[in-house]
Amino acid sequence: MSETSIHIHEDDWGMRSLHPVAAFFEVRADVARAGEAAARNAAPDGLGWTDIHVVGAPRVRYADAGLALVAVDAALAAVMPRIRRFAATATAGFHGEDPLGAFETDAHAYGFDSSCFIKLETDGPLVGSIWFEARTNEAAHLAALKQAFVAIDALAESVVADYWLDGVGRIRDPAFLDRYLAALAANA
């Protein structure tokens, strides 16, 4: 069953993303730097970090590849329900009270709930960037996510970047994609 809105913690924004294949090496290097920074900046008491790594935006975006929003919308809507209401706040408990939160009423989000969705950031009639969440081991949701990845990849060859799992790989690499989805399920 799909929810009518998605509400996430702001820190989860963009930690799992898709990028055009032309950004593969740049994204892989940034994920590696993030992993090194996490190890280097681990707090001595084991609770948190002393400094953060800011995820770098690759130079090549989907808009540069001419990825049309209407095409991605049609491909994703065939696989996952569209969820128009989307919020990201400092805590999951905030709704309308967080002045720094992001609140959308006509978002391009597709999925089931805050544990499994794909979010499109638009650039006019084009897709600018794509990110997602997958904190689920529900087989049907992961199968739909895989279908969504493959549908996007058919429109613009793409790579997955996951800063939580320190992983980067091409969607067209079936061994990578199967390992990655298994890792998502295991870490849900």
Side-chain angles (χ1 to χ4, degrees):
M1 181 87 180
S2 145
E3 297 198 11
T4 59
S5 66
I6 292 175
H7 188 192
I8 64 164
H9 188 279
E10 60 160 351
D11 290 347
D12 295 331
W13 190 290
M15 295 301 289
R16 292 184 163 130
S17 54
L18 302 181
H19 300 279
V21 73
F24 178 81
F25 294 107
E26 188 178 356
V27 171
R28 186 173 68 178
D30 193 56
V31 169
R33 283 191 300 275
E36 293 162 2
R40 183 178 56 253
N41 298 317
D45 63 4
L47 300 174
W49 292 268
T50 59
D51 199 0
I52 61 168
H53 171 82
V54 176
V55 172
R59 289 185 295 268
V60 178
R61 300 172 53 234
Y62 281 111
D64 300 323
L67 186 58
L69 176 61
V70 66
V72 179
D73 176 65
L76 293 180
V79 177
M80 301 171 131
R82 180 166 175 197
I83 301 173
R84 293 179 184 274
R85 291 183 40 194
F86 191 92
T89 57
T91 68
F94 282 135
H95 288 280
E97 303 87 21
D98 184 353
L100 301 177
F103 302 91
E104 294 179 58
T105 57
D106 195 25
H108 287 277
Y110 307 80
F112 307 100
D113 54 34
S114 61
S115 72
C116 188
F117 65 86
I118 293 180
K119 176 82 166 61
L120 307 178
E121 301 301 333
T122 61
D123 187 351
L126 302 174
V127 173
S129 61
I130 302 172
W131 59 282
F132 65 98
E133 184 55 84
R135 294 179 192 241
T136 182
N137 58 9
E138 191 166 324
H141 289 183
L142 290 173
L145 185 67
K146 181 179 182 177
Q147 280 185 274
F149 285 176
V150 169
I152 291 167
D153 189 72
L155 297 169
E157 189 174 353
S158 299
V159 298
V160 172
D162 191 316
Y163 286 84
W164 295 129
L165 296 178
D166 297 325
V168 177
R170 295 172 190 240
I171 292 173
R172 291 187 186 180
D173 176 350
F176 163 77
L177 193 54
D178 289 343
R179 277 192 320 273
Y180 178 65
L181 291 168
L184 287 173
N187 285 283

